[in-house]
Amino acid sequence: MTIPAFCRDAIDDVVRLLRDCRSLLFITGAGVSADSGLPTYRGIGGLYEEQATEDGVAIEDALSGDMLRTRPELTWKYLVQIGRATQGKTFNRAHEVIAEMERHFERVWTLTQNIDGFHRQAGSRNLIEIHGDMHELLCTRCAFRVHFDEFRELAIPPRCPECLAVLRPDVVLFGETLPEEKLARLYAELDVGFDMVFSIGTTSVFPYIIQPVLLARYTGRTTVEINPGESRVSHLVDIRIPLGAAVTLDAIWTQFLAGEGAPAV
């Protein structure tokens, strides 16, 4: 892909500023996994871009804790759709670059909304999977837990083999509270602060996704958005690059390493 001139200038700015950075925060959404062949959910060409699902309810209602309790077959219908979209897919260059940057800079953390597990597979370790991992299934009644990848084989709704209660993914559904230990880790890292904050592939609809950008802005730290579409932070960031995550991060990292005379990590 040929990078437009105005995007190239923005990439030059990011590379220049990175040279003085020791700490980075990456905030990632579904757009980061788009180059892995996963559709975003509400973004451009999203899996659920329309206001209502085929069942006449918003996807946020279908994928809610209340719906799982009252109509688990409906919630699992859409969970399975999302799970099947990940079948045969793996991390892409965007995930790899973030993992490589983690090994290069003094302190790098990734706050991801994604539940596909690709950041961890690519090698990221300082990772806050704030919404969980959909491949971990839990029983809603007993202590049964299992890792599961083959969503094509799941019954709808799946049942616990030990007590026959409905299983659920170890993710935060709409209307549920975020895990306290993950929020504590996020706020602890934000208290330390970051030299540069990247918002990548997310529409930034949640307060805890917007907050790190606002905090960086108000403390004079550089903020960067990489996203083909506009989001709720597009007008707030210092540098906005309206391209996909993989091509942009690869261009930034390649140029950065070339300037250092360093081999790729």
Side-chain angles (χ1 to χ4, degrees), residues 70-143:
T70 58
R71 297 179 63 190
E73 73 284 352
L74 182 61
T75 298
W76 268 106
K77 173 181 177 179
Y78 293 99
L79 286 172
V80 167
Q81 285 184 7
I82 295 169
R84 287 175 177 170
T86 69
Q87 301 288 170
K89 307 296 196 307
T90 190
F91 56 85
N92 62 57
R93 185 59 183 151
H95 302 98
E96 289 178 336
V97 168
I98 292 172
E100 290 170 11
M101 285 187 171
E102 184 181 311
R103 296 193 293 271
H104 184 93
F105 290 91
E106 183 175 305
R107 178 170 153 266
V108 175
W109 278 86
T110 300
L111 167 65
T112 186
Q113 301 165 83
N114 296 341
I115 57 177
D116 51 42
F118 288 167
H119 279 296
R120 192 171 299 280
Q121 292 173 26
S124 289
R125 293 295 174 261
N126 296 336
L127 185 61
I128 303 172
E129 294 173 303
I130 197 70
H131 292 164
D133 185 340
M134 74 176 304
H135 298 97
E136 298 294 323
L137 302 187
L138 311 175
C139 180
T140 55
R141 181 185 299 160
C142 73

Side-chain angles (χ1 to χ4, degrees), residues 9-219:
D9 291 341
I11 288 171
D12 290 345
D13 289 340
V14 172
V15 171
R16 174 176 53 81
L17 292 165
L18 270 176
R19 301 203 184 284
D20 294 323
C21 289
R22 299 173 67 183
S23 59
L24 308 173
L25 174 65
F26 293 94
I27 306 166
T28 69
V32 172
S33 295
D35 287 315
S36 294
L38 299 190
T40 59
Y41 305 130
R42 281 299 193 195
I44 296 172
L47 190 62
Y48 303 114
E49 193 171 9
E50 299 300 323
Q51 291 302 306
T53 65
E54 63 187 25
D55 291 283
V57 298
I59 189 61
E60 291 85 356
D61 292 330
L63 295 178
S64 68
D66 286 342
M67 191 69 76
L68 180 67
R69 285 186 291 273
T70 58
R71 297 179 63 190
E73 73 284 352
L74 182 61
T75 298
W76 268 106
K77 173 181 177 179
Y78 293 99
L79 286 172
V80 167
Q81 285 184 7
I82 295 169
R84 287 175 177 170
T86 69
Q87 301 288 170
K89 307 296 196 307
T90 190
F91 56 85
N92 62 57
R93 185 59 183 151
H95 302 98
E96 289 178 336
V97 168
I98 292 172
E100 290 170 11
M101 285 187 171
E102 184 181 311
R103 296 193 293 271
H104 184 93
F105 290 91
E106 183 175 305
R107 178 170 153 266
V108 175
W109 278 86
T110 300
L111 167 65
T112 186
Q113 301 165 83
N114 296 341
I115 57 177
D116 51 42
F118 288 167
H119 279 296
R120 192 171 299 280
Q121 292 173 26
S124 289
R125 293 295 174 261
N126 296 336
L127 185 61
I128 303 172
E129 294 173 303
I130 197 70
H131 292 164
D133 185 340
M134 74 176 304
H135 298 97
E136 298 294 323
L137 302 187
L138 311 175
C139 180
T140 55
R141 181 185 299 160
C142 73
F144 178 79
R145 183 185 189 108
V146 66
H147 181 86
F148 199 87
D149 288 318
E150 294 299 324
F151 284 86
R152 293 184 183 92
E153 299 177 5
L154 275 181
I156 300 178
R159 297 279 177 176
C160 175
E162 296 183 3
C163 74
L164 300 183
V166 172
L167 295 178
R168 62 164 293 157
D170 189 11
V171 301
V172 179
L173 297 173
F174 288 95
E176 296 182 329
T177 58
L178 296 171
E180 290 185 6
E181 70 279 6
K182 294 182 180 181
L183 282 176
R185 169 55 66 186
L186 171 61
Y187 293 139
E189 297 303 329
L190 290 177
D191 283 345
V192 177
F194 293 93
D195 296 327
M196 186 178 292
V197 173
F198 289 81
S199 176
I200 310 176
T202 173
T203 52
S204 298
V205 296
F206 300 119
Y208 50 90
I209 298 301
I210 299 173
Q211 183 181 2
V213 176
L214 292 175
L215 183 61
R217 175 182 170 87
Y218 293 142
T219 55

Side-chain angles (χ1 to χ4, degrees), residues 1-4 6-15 18 26 31-32 35 92-98 100-101 196 198-201 224-229 239-257:
M1 175 182 177
T2 301
I3 296 177
F6 73 95
C7 291
R8 176 57 65 183
D9 291 341
I11 288 171
D12 290 345
D13 289 340
V14 172
V15 171
L18 270 176
F26 293 94
V32 172
D35 287 315
N92 62 57
R93 185 59 183 151
H95 302 98
E96 289 178 336
V97 168
I98 292 172
E100 290 170 11
M101 285 187 171
M196 186 178 292
F198 289 81
S199 176
I200 310 176
V224 180
E225 181 179 47
I226 300 171
N227 200 334
I239 302 172
R240 170 166 161 72
I241 305 175
L243 295 175
V247 65
T248 305
L249 285 173
D250 184 63
I252 289 170
W253 194 226
T254 298
Q255 186 171 327
F256 180 89
L257 291 175

